[in-house]
Amino acid sequence: MKPLIPAPALTKGATVATVAASSAIPDNERLLQGLAVLESWGLICLGSDVVGRHWGYLAGSDADRRSDLLTPESAALFACARGGWGAARLLESDLPWRPGWLLGFSDVTALLWSRLAAGYDGGIHGPLLTTLAAEPDWSQERLRQLLFGEPVSDLNGVGLGGGQSTGPLVVANLTVATHLLGSGHVPDLKGALLILEDVGEAPYRIDRMLTHWRLCGALKGLAGIGFGQFLDCCDEDRPQNWCFSLDQVLKERTDDLGIPRVLNLPIGHGAGNAALPMGRLARLDGDTGQLSLVA
């Protein structure tokens, strides 16, 4: 991965713009709670009109939602309100990315990947404004530390072996990222540490997606692969002895890659969604299950 255009660390008084790039936001209680967390760190959250704005199931027209990502230009952090669907639609027109920070996960994977592919630092795969207040204290503090340029603790999962490797972090919702493959919005995966999470997908569908990654060669050349939370990813429609478990699928579809592999990292749709900086250098230890930032 080429050197990225850096994002300056935030300081108290930096401004935050609210982005509704995906599904509509029917009420503002959880949104206001998330903004209050950011304000408690000394950040200034700018006003917005995203609550109740909608075009069908989306949080406004494509033009409205694209505008959230571009204005005001003075904002140091663009924080996404919620996930759902719609962010990838905004990539049909060029987005003039600029230095700064973009925060979100789930459907926001589309924006984080596009921004990283364009060569920009500052993307954080982490809590949305509507989930931030419900995060445990350690997760909120981790996000604050990343934004303000402070060191963060290592994350621990379950190692599947493969030794250690170092590479730039590329984090994603598996479903969203799968639908970006073959587009111009996929960051360079060669030598990367790929971390995946998902929600509400049965093991056979996860099998199907990972098989697509294998068939198109997207898993070749990775330095390591980790899996976060796969919330509500079970198969209740088939007898247990006619099923593969989620862990069986994740292990079998990656067993021949010959790289470090880790399960159960605290990343994803459950409470305890650890913030990770896109494109930053990290180390994955497949023996101990540890993920640590190097730079």
Side-chain angles (χ1 to χ4, degrees):
M1 190 175 294
K2 296 178 181 179
L4 302 176
I5 298 170
L10 297 186
T11 57
K12 290 185 177 181
T15 53
V16 180
T18 298
V19 175
S22 304
S23 293
I25 306 163
D27 62 75
N28 65 355
E29 182 178 0
R30 290 192 301 162
L31 178 67
L32 291 176
Q33 290 172 347
L35 292 170
V37 173
L38 298 183
E39 289 173 341
S40 73
W41 301 342
L43 301 176
I44 298 174
C45 297
L46 305 173
S48 71
D49 62 352
V50 300
V51 175
R53 188 185 73 190
H54 74 96
W55 178 48
Y57 41 74
L58 300 171
S61 68
D62 290 348
D64 287 339
R65 290 178 294 113
R66 187 178 295 110
S67 178
D68 288 349
L69 284 166
L70 304 177
T71 56
E73 293 186 10
S74 60
L77 166 64
F78 287 82
C80 293
R82 67 161 295 183
W85 161 247
R89 292 174 57 108
L90 307 183
L91 304 181
E92 293 183 23
S93 299
D94 288 339
L95 284 167
W97 299 115
R98 55 180 176 266
W101 297 87
L102 175 68
L103 170 65
F105 82 112
S106 193
D107 189 55
V108 181
T109 291
L111 303 178
L112 292 170
W113 271 40
S114 179
R115 196 174 188 280
L116 184 59
Y120 284 85
D121 177 36
I124 292 187
H125 183 282
L128 299 156
L129 288 176
T130 51
T131 66
L132 178 56
E135 285 290 305
D137 290 346
W138 69 262
S139 176
Q140 293 183 11
E141 176 62 8
R142 179 185 179 86
L143 174 59
R144 188 200 66 79
Q145 290 168 333
L146 282 175
L147 290 171
F148 283 78
E150 301 172 12
V152 297
S153 300
D154 299 339
L155 299 178
N156 294 295
V158 176
L160 297 178
Q164 292 185 5
S165 62
T166 301
L169 276 172
V170 179
V171 195
N173 174 271
L174 173 60
T175 298
V176 176
T178 299
H179 288 89
L180 293 176
L181 295 178
S183 76
H185 302 283
V186 178
D188 185 2
L189 296 176
K190 191 162 191 156
L193 299 180
L194 178 66
I195 312 295
L196 299 170
E197 63 84 32
D198 218 322
V199 61
E201 297 288 351
Y204 80 90
R205 294 198 294 267
I206 293 170
D207 185 335
R208 181 166 59 201
M209 287 186 278
L210 289 176
T211 300
H212 177 59
W213 285 64
R214 292 171 64 89
L215 289 172
C216 70
L219 297 182
K220 291 181 179 178
L222 291 176
I225 189 166
F227 297 100
Q229 305 166 30
F230 280 71
L231 194 66
D232 297 330
C233 290
C234 57
D235 195 337
E236 299 176 350
D237 298 331
R238 293 175 173 80
Q240 285 299 105
N241 62 340
W242 285 38
C243 292
F244 291 120
S245 70
L246 170 65
D247 282 0
Q248 284 176 314
V249 170
L250 298 180
K251 291 175 184 177
E252 190 277 336
R253 291 285 72 193
T254 60
D255 191 48
D256 61 352
L257 297 180
I259 57 177
R261 296 178 298 155
V262 174
L263 294 175
N264 299 338
L265 289 164
I267 298 155
H269 281 75
N273 180 18
L276 286 174
M278 302 285 288
R280 296 281 181 92
L281 200 61
R283 180 178 297 109
L284 187 70
D285 191 323
D287 299 324
T288 66
Q290 190 171 76
L291 175 64
S292 54
L293 296 184
V294 175

